[in-house]
Amino acid sequence: MTAHDDALMPLDDSDELLLAAIAAAQADQDPLPAGLLGRVRFALSLELMNAELAALQTASPAGARGVDPAVTDTLTFTASGLSLMVVLSEADGGVRVDGWVTGGGVRVEARSADAVDVQVSDATGRLTWPVVPHGPLRFLIHPPRPGQRPVVTPAIEV
Amino acid sequence: MTSAESLASRAAEAFVAFRDGDPARLADLVTLLTPPLWAVARSSGLNPAQAEDVIQSSWLALVRASSSISEPQAVFAWLLTTTRREAWRVARVPPEVELPEAAVARGPTPEDVAESDDLNRRLWTHVRALSPRCQTLLRVIAYSSRPDYATISAALGMPVGSIGPTRGRCLSTLRRALANDPAWSPA
């Protein structure tokens, strides 16, 4: 026997049962936090894409809601080479997002919990997502020119 | 001992595929190994937010070091070790001091017992009363299979060969506590 063969000896049945009970209790009493796996995967994809994380620059003053009751929020994200402004409003089955990005022909992904919706800006930089589901949402802006880094926004709750 | 049962082998397979250009396999690796890493971080005394930070940094460190990892079979051990060291640093456990097996934490309070309205919660109360070393060991091996035990003992800083006896002592301590718990073992 080598020195660590004892680690390979069969457990007796009751040890197996007790370990199985510990596994069940652990899953029940100290589970992974909801969304942890998704947050780890997101952090890793940022790392792999060498993406820049945009800053959330401004939120509309609360008074803006009084102007148009359908508009819930205006947010601006800025990165070193571009910015993205989004206006969120209630829509059937979710949220409508109207966006303006620096430049035309820019591919922007709206990433919700389980879907990715890609839109391309028109010549004036405008793009629209007619409906995105409620919940966490972030945007991934593909590099407009080769050699630039992709830009990812922090997640917002819509 | 089939390789399909070994966490280290499944991790190695996903890691190689990821490094060969399939990013989806990195997500598989995260799904496979985050639960035991969570067990290590939490049983080192970190709260959930601290544990999450430590786990994020371990994964980022793995991706940054991925080209220099020469033995894919060692990825599981690499992550366990990185997570344990960082968790101990955050929890301010001196890095090279082994968690004492004998220093038993507080036993369950009467309130704990009164709140234990189901078996999982009651068992968990007793697991949490074990020494941190026993908690880490039992929680990690509960996710693993026997072929992983040598890997786990090395990564947890336990001398090679000690995992069998240590596991046995930890399970006996737990079994004694359960035997003395009237709700678990009705007379």
Side-chain angles (χ1 to χ4, degrees), chain A residues 3-4 6-12 14-16 18-19 21-26 28-33 36-37 39-41 43-44 47-48, chain B residues 18 26-27 30-31 34 38-39 42 52 56 59-60 63-64 120-121 123-124 139 141-143 146 149-150 160-161 163 165 167 171 174-175 178:
Chain A
H4 63 265
D6 60 342
L8 305 179
M9 303 259 278
L11 299 168
D12 68 45
S14 64
D15 278 358
E16 292 280 16
L18 190 50
L19 283 169
I22 292 169
Q26 153 158 277
D28 185 55
Q29 296 291 304
D30 190 18
L32 295 184
L36 171 61
L37 294 177
R39 289 189 293 275
V40 169
R41 291 191 200 111
L44 296 182
E47 177 71 19
L48 292 172
Chain B
F18 153 66
L26 181 60
V30 169
T31 306
T34 298
W38 178 255
R42 292 282 287 148
E52 175 158 349
Q56 287 258 12
W59 281 111
L60 284 170
V63 165
R64 286 170 190 150
N120 275 340
R121 193 190 295 183
L123 173 57
W124 201 241
R139 290 187 62 171
I141 65 179
Y143 283 120
R146 262 169 265 143
Y149 281 12
V160 171
I163 191 169
R167 180 197 61 210
L171 286 174
L174 181 59
R175 207 171 265 124
L178 293 171

